[in-house]
Amino acid sequence: MRYSVGQLGADVDISASTLSHHLKELHRAGLVQMVRKDQQVECWVAPQTLEQLAAFFSDLPAQPKMQGENP
């Protein structure tokens, strides 16, 4: 599913410049895809990226809880 930067910003309590900065960094890291359409920028996470992240995290060993740590 694709969202415009404006749509993403409507539900978060951060400035447009902060949102833009974070999206740019996620794009540079290859976690978010972006395309400009006229005055809007659409963003999405590619399915293969989600699959790679899920595989990475599922391969991590479970970490034992530290004493006094909440569940």
Side-chain angles (χ1 to χ4, degrees), residues 12-51:
V12 295
D13 190 24
I14 60 174
S15 70
S17 62
T18 300
L19 176 61
S20 178
H21 168 76
H22 287 289
L23 287 172
K24 181 180 98 177
E25 292 302 319
L26 290 168
H27 177 70
R28 287 178 43 169
L31 299 174
V32 171
Q33 303 296 311
M34 300 171 86
V35 65
R36 178 173 291 282
K37 288 196 173 184
D38 297 319
Q39 299 253 328
Q40 292 188 341
V41 176
E42 289 185 349
C43 305
W44 70 96
V45 177
Q48 65 270 22
T49 302
L50 290 177
E51 291 168 7

